[in-house]
Amino acid sequence: MGIKIKVEFLGGLDVISSGVREHKCILPLEEGDATLKDVIQFITKNVITDPKDIPVFICDETVRPGILVLINDTDWELEGGEDYVVESGDVFTFTSTLHGG
Amino acid sequence: MVEKQKKIKPGALCELCHGRKAVMKRPKNLQKLCKECFYNVFETEIHNTIVGHELFKKGDRVAIGASGGKDSTVLAAVLKTLNERYNYGVELVLLSIDEGIKGYRDDSLATVKRNQKQYEMPLEIVSYKELYDWSMDEIVSCAGIRSSCTYCGVLRRQALDRGAAKLGIDHVVTGHNADDVAETVLMNILRGDTARLESSCSILTQSSGSPIKRSKPFKYTYQKEIVLYAHYKKLDYFSTECSYAPEAFRGTARELLKSLESIRPSCIMDIIYSGEHLVLGQKKKVTQQRKKPNKIKNDMEQEVRSDGSIKIKQNETKDGNRCEKCGYITSNRICKACLLLGGLEANRAKLDIEGNTAVDGAAKLTRTLEKLAF
């Protein structure tokens, strides 16, 4: 059946997905079984346009430090980080903080 | 975005108001806050920094160095809010530099122009081309991409001063945040650049003889919080990396800092704290051994540049000295900008003969070509 989610790349991070900021995705897992870790894996396989750009997003098997992760607009640190259990309709926002101001 | 109606767990409540759901964790002290309390704490801390360091006086005219990026956009928004809330009585003006980088700066300047309307502030744009007769695109096509940050940095510093002088303003505030300051401290330590280490932590700087002072109201503000503030307040900012390669050393220092922060978020404040309290020892011993006693005083003043070279004393130039070519404040006979531009001028003629027409947007073109290749 899959879980409907939305993935957003902000703060210039859209460079890894051909400049597209919003992605509506269906995570091919059952609700209750999937965590943010699965979403991150799904993104690296299906959303990032060029595999060469994976290191822009991933570092040491997790989201690169300096990329801010929000789950439904809440800091992922308050939601259990990678172990957050994905629900249908969730919005995951990844914002790069590394660009100049 | 539609808030989902979920039951809030007791542990998920804001640690200040205990009423609303916490949405963020402060890197400074790991406090969990809701949006409203976060805005309040964020703005109040900056207000305290401004008041504590007496950055503004009533009637001051202050130029905000605005790039259209997150830091300067949030700075403009927050200063406008605070100026109204606490009645600072300062007049705020946006000051932008157009380096002349097609496909980057022209887009970000469009953001600043929108900010001008949104925040109802006058806007002044100073361009490298009109100031130096060189755009960054031209400089890069002449001097190569590797030294782009060196040129740009030197020229921008002067351009901001000149822009402010043009507006009759003697105070420029920039969006440098705690992460930037910590990064600079780290870089200066790693390079052994002790001369810059001391000044890199000051919130307010002013060269003697220069009428223009600069300050960083975000010196104690985390980048994460600036990005969150811009995100929650839906501020209009521009976020694309400059087309020219960022300085490799700074990039590596930034990554190191980010990795450290992910393990120990307070490290950014800790590095700034360390930087503020470092006191340089006297460099007496080495010079005493080598030189005659009556020369010691002069030798102690010898400046060792970051690249290890030593400044040759030319008629005992001091801070407050003027450049012979352009009149800009400099500690040398000729200012750094004129020195760099002089080197470029020598190459310009050669460039014209080669018939290089693809100067404008050279970097954008390269990027486009790179993409085509894949």
Side-chain angles (χ1 to χ4, degrees):
Chain A
M1 162 73 210
I3 316 164
K4 270 189 201 168
I5 56 164
K6 194 160 102 181
V7 173
E8 291 179 326
F9 294 126
L10 304 178
L13 199 61
D14 54 338
V15 288
I16 63 171
S17 60
S18 313
V20 182
R21 292 169 140 224
E22 267 187 44
H23 299 266
K24 284 190 176 118
C25 308
I26 291 169
L27 200 63
L29 288 165
E30 287 302 314
E31 213 171 322
D33 292 344
T35 62
L36 180 52
K37 221 180 180 98
D38 298 307
V39 176
I40 293 164
Q41 222 166 54
F42 178 84
I43 291 171
T44 49
K45 284 193 187 131
N46 302 287
V47 187
I48 297 177
T49 317
D50 188 334
K52 273 190 204 147
D53 286 335
I54 292 175
V56 177
F57 184 62
I58 301 288
C59 178
D60 293 335
E61 288 172 30
T62 185
V63 178
R64 177 172 281 282
I67 295 176
L68 190 61
V69 186
L70 300 178
I71 302 168
N72 302 318
D73 246 6
T74 297
D75 198 340
W76 73 328
E77 288 180 47
L78 302 181
E79 299 281 4
E82 282 194 320
D83 298 325
Y84 170 81
V85 179
V86 181
E87 289 176 28
S88 182
D90 277 349
V91 181
F92 299 93
T93 314
F94 300 91
T95 308
S96 171
T97 64
L98 296 172
H99 292 297
Chain B
M1 258 168 274
V2 186
E3 290 275 331
K4 279 201 288 187
Q5 289 302 312
K6 272 195 232 172
K7 262 192 194 157
I8 304 170
K9 288 169 238 140
L13 284 175
C14 170
E15 289 175 2
L16 274 184
C17 68
H18 305 287
R20 287 176 291 251
K21 182 180 178 292
V23 294
M24 62 86 65
K25 194 167 165 188
R26 299 200 72 198
K28 228 176 244 185
N29 54 10
L30 308 182
Q31 200 172 35
K32 298 170 188 171
L33 298 181
C34 69
K35 267 187 208 179
E36 292 307 313
C37 290
F38 165 58
Y39 295 154
N40 200 1
V41 167
F42 182 86
E43 290 160 1
T44 308
E45 270 191 10
I46 295 159
H47 168 67
N48 290 342
T49 305
I50 291 170
V51 173
H53 292 88
E54 297 174 11
L55 295 185
F56 303 142
K57 281 198 309 288
K58 241 193 178 87
D60 273 357
R61 294 178 71 218
V62 178
I64 302 170
S67 66
K70 54 182 165 23
D71 299 311
S72 55
T73 303
V74 173
L75 183 62
V78 170
L79 286 187
K80 183 181 165 64
T81 308
L82 295 179
N83 192 27
E84 286 163 8
R85 183 182 301 159
Y86 297 103
N87 204 8
Y88 292 159
V90 296
E91 189 191 329
L92 298 166
V93 178
L94 296 170
L95 174 59
S96 290
I97 307 299
D98 182 2
E99 294 94 343
I101 305 174
K102 274 242 162 75
Y104 168 65
R105 187 50 94 213
D106 38 0
D107 294 345
S108 64
L109 282 175
T111 314
V112 181
K113 284 172 190 161
R114 286 198 301 276
N115 290 342
Q116 178 193 6
K117 291 203 185 90
Q118 289 153 0
Y119 305 136
E120 298 164 319
M121 289 177 197
L123 166 67
E124 177 75 27
I125 301 175
V126 182
S127 80
Y128 280 9
K129 184 70 185 169
E130 72 182 68
L131 215 55
Y132 309 112
D133 195 32
W134 284 89
S135 70
M136 260 325 276
D137 281 338
E138 287 168 343
I139 291 173
V140 170
S141 72
C142 186
I145 201 161
R146 292 196 58 181
S147 48
S148 54
C149 285
T150 312
Y151 282 93
C152 203
V154 171
L155 299 183
R156 185 179 313 105
R157 195 176 170 83
Q158 206 178 102
L160 269 177
D161 277 5
R162 289 182 182 276
K166 197 171 157 189
L167 293 164
I169 288 176
D170 61 5
H171 190 170
V172 178
V173 289
T174 55
H176 290 110
N177 57 43
D179 295 51
D180 297 329
V181 176
E183 188 180 294
T184 308
V185 171
L186 207 57
M187 271 174 73
N188 288 334
I189 289 175
L190 295 175
R191 283 197 296 222
D193 195 344
T194 48
R196 281 196 199 143
L197 191 57
E198 270 192 320
S199 61
S200 59
C201 280
S202 5
I203 188 161
L204 189 85
T205 51
Q206 184 166 20
S207 329
S208 66
S210 166
I212 294 164
K213 50 182 179 180
R214 290 151 176 278
S215 65
K216 316 180 189 85
F218 281 172
K219 185 188 161 188
Y220 300 109
T221 310
Y222 271 66
Q223 195 153 55
K224 176 182 171 180
E225 298 195 352
I226 293 172
V227 172
L228 276 174
Y229 189 87
H231 180 75
Y232 289 144
K233 288 256 180 182
K234 297 189 170 51
L235 299 182
D236 184 6
Y237 73 92
F238 178 80
S239 52
T240 300
E241 193 64 275
C242 173
S243 334
Y244 297 120
E247 199 184 338
F249 194 68
R250 182 171 282 277
T252 312
R254 183 172 300 177
E255 290 212 357
L256 173 63
L257 188 68
K258 283 287 141 193
S259 306
L260 289 171
E261 187 194 0
S262 66
I263 303 163
R264 182 185 156 91
S266 69
C267 80
I268 289 175
M269 289 310 272
D270 299 338
I271 290 173
I272 297 177
Y273 181 83
S274 302
E276 285 172 342
H277 289 80
L278 280 175
V279 179
L280 291 182
Q282 295 288 323
K283 292 181 216 158
K284 265 184 218 162
K285 278 177 188 161
V286 184
T287 46
Q288 262 174 346
Q289 283 162 2
R290 280 194 206 147
K291 305 284 176 180
K292 290 174 202 160
N294 61 349
K295 272 196 156 183
I296 288 174
K297 204 182 163 237
N298 279 347
D299 286 330
M300 270 161 55
E301 284 166 10
Q302 203 162 47
E303 182 192 321
V304 181
R305 296 207 187 97
S306 52
D307 58 2
S309 65
I310 289 169
K311 192 173 91 186
I312 300 159
K313 273 193 226 74
Q314 294 152 330
N315 322 325
E316 285 303 310
T317 47
K318 279 178 245 106
D319 227 16
N321 200 47
R322 300 261 160 204
C323 169
E324 283 179 8
K325 272 185 138 174
C326 68
Y328 182 73
I329 182 142
T330 175
S331 51
N332 289 310
R333 209 163 50 81
I334 289 170
C335 75
K336 193 99 181 268
C338 285
L339 207 67
L340 288 174
L341 291 169
L344 284 171
E345 286 298 340
N347 284 317
R348 171 119 72 178
K350 198 177 85 194
L351 219 137
D352 287 341
I353 297 163
E354 282 163 7
N356 195 339
T357 50
V359 167
D360 267 358
K364 198 186 181 187
L365 189 71
T366 315
R367 281 272 159 107
T368 319
L369 287 173
E370 271 173 11
K371 270 178 201 150
L372 285 175
F374 293 145

